[in-house]
Amino acid sequence: MAFENLSDKLQNALAKLTGKGKLNEKDIDMAMREVRLALLEADVNFKVVKDFVKSVKERAIGKDVMESLTPGQQVIKIVNDELKNLMGESEQKIHFSSKPPTVIMLCGLQGAGKTTHGGKLAKHLKSTGKRPMLVACDIYRPAAIKQLEVVGSKAEVPVFSMGDKISPVDISKAAIEEARRNGNDIVIIDTAGRLHIDDTLMKELQEIKSAVEPDEILLVVDAMTGQDAVNVAKEFNETLDITGTILTKLDGDARGGAALSIRAVAKKPIKFIGTGEKLDALEPFRPDRMASRILGMGDVLSLIEKAESAMDEKKARELEEKILSQKYDFNDFLDQLDQMKQMGPLEDLLKMIPGVNNKALKQINIDDKQIDRIEAMIRSMTEKERRNPEIINPSRKKRIAAGAGVSPVELNKLLKQFKESKKMMKQMGKLGKNMKRGNMRMPFFK
């Protein structure tokens, strides 16, 4: 995961400061030396590192910090502030045109993920009530148009194409007219890429820009390429004056340097980050939350948002009623597992909890496959068995375990845990009813 090594090293460097009652300039210098090395190893641009460390040090040796009762904590706050400043301080949203459709032009090198992230962006905007349309302007790469049509189908968003014989400029202009006719308020243009920047690519992009006057020009860059991503951003910005970037593959083994360097070098914000292969794995980039994650301070707001987007409000109310009336069964448990899986990998969710750092996570055995095994066991049960687990006798257990590909011991463990959880829910139900009746009394008050 991106930032993991950087996060570990920054936290270790700063932890040495929090353990001291008072700090002197030598302490700050030693910590900043470790911070500098951590950033350079994360492939952050050298000049960006130099300016960052200088700014942190100037603030850290100030009177307010050195004479503070908690100087170490004050330094961490300064590092957090400077990380936010480095990445853009606040979330930069899409600029929507006052006269629809809003035109978003995606550009970048081949392999950065333009087509896929065009679909992700379309799905994200659709979830906010917009009516996006994707436009196939990559007429050179084999099957590029077909790929966009497949992505558009998955995102349930229309795709406009005119084949590979019409110029991308004419396709773009025709797409905007089509969007006006059909009431699509956003047009996302998927342009062609190259294996490297060349004059032909840039000329075509300039012609599309001139013809359609896009409201947003978003550069899609691969975080895995590190400093190359920063150089690409700089060159595209000089030619097209981009409005922002989409940083992809931030879920991979990227060292994170691109995310910390792009805004400082290209002077343009990161607007979205790709965090996985699924079509909904796209997040608005929020510098303040990312800085907190890097420093091990968690990201509670993002965790809440993920839970809200995954939770079905109607099902949540029904579940509450079932718990109170003691009718909770394996079907309800299966629904909860599905909703939890929609929130993403367990390890990523735990990282959003304040105080849970990478070091602590390494001591916990996080196995997402265990959830898959539990799901398989429940799905191997009949409808009657899910509603009434108490009827599951030894012969039924043998059948269910074989169907799920697990041992009877593992199934027995699940049944025992479920039975215990139902007991706890029964107590909660009684507690809830007492509170509603208004006769709630603590057991030690007679």
Side-chain angles (χ1 to χ4, degrees):
M1 190 70 184
F3 297 120
E4 192 168 310
N5 288 335
L6 173 63
S7 184
D8 282 343
K9 287 177 180 178
L10 286 182
Q11 288 175 40
N12 287 339
L14 297 172
K16 293 172 185 175
L17 297 181
T18 56
K20 298 192 174 190
K22 282 192 174 184
L23 296 179
N24 55 44
E25 196 168 335
K26 187 181 177 183
D27 296 325
I28 302 291
D29 280 337
M30 286 179 68
M32 288 305 103
R33 193 176 298 118
E34 289 186 42
V35 167
R36 183 188 294 108
L37 284 172
L39 292 169
L40 289 172
E41 285 176 17
D43 210 12
V44 180
N45 178 274
F46 175 76
K47 188 177 183 304
V48 171
V49 173
K50 185 180 176 184
D51 292 344
F52 178 85
V53 171
K54 182 184 175 186
S55 183
V56 171
K57 185 181 174 182
E58 283 176 356
R59 290 181 61 188
I61 59 174
K63 186 179 176 183
D64 291 344
V65 172
M66 304 300 264
E67 295 182 7
S68 165
L69 291 172
T70 55
Q73 292 293 338
Q74 293 281 52
V75 175
I76 291 173
K77 182 183 181 303
I78 290 168
V79 172
N80 187 52
D81 289 345
E82 292 299 325
L83 277 174
K84 285 190 289 185
N85 291 339
L86 193 61
M87 293 186 285
E89 294 186 0
S90 60
E91 177 189 351
Q92 297 292 309
K93 297 183 179 181
I94 293 286
H95 168 71
F96 295 110
S97 173
S98 56
K99 291 182 181 179
T102 295
V103 180
I104 301 172
M105 178 178 163
L106 299 183
C107 58
L109 296 183
Q110 195 170 303
K114 282 191 307 301
T115 303
T116 307
H117 282 76
K120 289 182 180 183
L121 181 59
K123 185 173 183 181
H124 170 76
L125 293 171
K126 187 181 177 184
S127 72
T128 65
K130 301 292 183 183
R131 296 192 63 212
M133 179 176 81
L134 289 162
V135 184
C137 279
D138 185 352
I139 63 172
Y140 311 106
R141 182 168 60 89
I145 296 172
K146 181 63 180 174
Q147 184 191 356
L148 189 67
E149 287 171 346
V150 170
V151 168
S153 175
K154 287 180 180 177
E156 298 181 336
V157 169
V159 176
F160 181 85
S161 68
M162 295 174 73
D164 58 4
K165 305 301 181 195
I166 310 295
S167 79
V169 172
D170 290 336
I171 295 170
S172 300
K173 290 194 286 189
I176 292 169
E177 291 305 315
E178 179 75 3
R180 288 193 180 112
R181 283 193 295 271
N182 293 338
N184 296 105
D185 51 9
I186 293 177
V187 173
I188 301 171
I189 302 172
D190 179 31
T191 66
R194 300 283 193 280
L195 292 174
H196 55 84
I197 294 170
D198 61 39
D199 293 339
T200 308
L201 167 68
M202 289 305 191
K203 188 179 179 208
E204 182 175 284
L205 294 174
Q206 285 173 321
E207 286 172 354
I208 295 172
K209 177 185 176 181
S210 179
V212 301
E213 297 179 347
D215 302 281
E216 292 273 2
I217 302 176
L218 299 180
L219 173 68
V220 181
V221 282
D222 181 349
M224 302 280 282
T225 58
Q227 277 304 296
D228 284 343
V230 179
N231 296 330
V232 166
K234 190 177 179 183
E235 289 191 50
F236 269 87
N237 187 48
E238 286 171 356
T239 305
L240 293 171
D241 189 22
I242 62 172
T243 58
T245 59
I246 297 177
L247 202 57
T248 71
K249 304 178 188 176
L250 214 64
D251 59 313
D253 295 325
R255 287 174 285 177
L260 294 174
S261 306
I262 276 184
R263 183 188 170 274
V265 175
K267 308 296 181 188
K268 294 297 164 70
I270 301 168
K271 294 206 172 185
F272 293 94
I273 51 173
T275 56
E277 293 180 8
K278 291 183 180 178
L279 218 52
D280 55 1
L282 183 78
E283 297 177 12
F285 184 69
R286 299 179 174 100
D288 53 341
R289 300 187 191 183
M290 186 59 76
S292 292
R293 282 195 218 179
I294 292 170
L295 293 178
M297 296 176 179
D299 184 359
V300 175
L301 290 174
S302 290
L303 186 61
I304 291 168
E305 285 170 8
K306 277 181 179 284
E308 286 176 342
S309 64
M311 283 293 286
D312 184 311
E313 197 174 332
K314 185 183 175 185
K315 282 186 178 179
R317 282 199 300 270
E318 288 173 359
L319 182 64
E320 184 184 3
E321 287 171 11
K322 284 187 176 184
I323 289 171
L324 290 173
S325 60
Q326 297 156 42
K327 291 178 181 176
Y328 182 82
D329 61 27
F330 269 119
N331 284 319
D332 303 310
F333 187 37
L334 199 59
D335 278 343
Q336 283 186 293
L337 284 178
D338 284 338
Q339 291 181 10
M340 189 171 78
K341 284 171 75 176
Q342 287 175 38
M343 290 173 66
L346 278 174
E347 187 173 352
D348 291 351
L349 299 178
L350 287 171
K351 283 178 183 175
M352 294 182 185
I353 301 170
V356 180
N357 55 32
N358 293 328
K359 196 173 181 180
L361 282 173
K362 283 169 186 171
Q363 296 169 3
I364 303 171
N365 183 24
I366 300 165
D367 186 5
D368 283 298
K369 289 180 181 176
Q370 179 64 23
I371 296 173
D372 294 334
R373 287 196 290 273
I374 291 170
E375 195 173 349
M377 285 186 271
I378 298 171
R379 293 195 188 280
S380 293
M381 298 174 189
T382 64
E383 185 61 33
K384 190 176 180 181
E385 287 165 346
R386 289 186 204 176
R387 288 199 305 268
N388 307 288
E390 59 275 3
I391 69 168
I392 300 177
N393 56 27
S395 64
R396 287 176 186 260
K397 286 179 184 177
K398 190 176 179 181
R399 190 202 77 246
I400 294 165
V406 300
S407 68
V409 174
E410 200 167 351
L411 177 62
N412 279 329
K413 188 178 177 183
L414 172 66
L415 293 169
K416 186 181 177 183
Q417 287 173 340
F418 188 77
K419 189 176 180 181
E420 288 172 356
S421 69
K422 279 199 76 171
K423 279 183 186 176
M424 189 173 71
M425 286 177 186
K426 187 176 181 179
Q427 293 172 343
M428 286 169 61
K430 287 178 181 177
L431 192 69
K433 284 176 183 176
N434 282 333
M435 289 177 76
K436 282 185 177 180
R437 290 183 190 131
N439 60 356
M440 179 68 188
R441 288 190 305 173
M442 296 303 285
F444 41 81
F445 285 108
K446 302 290 184 183

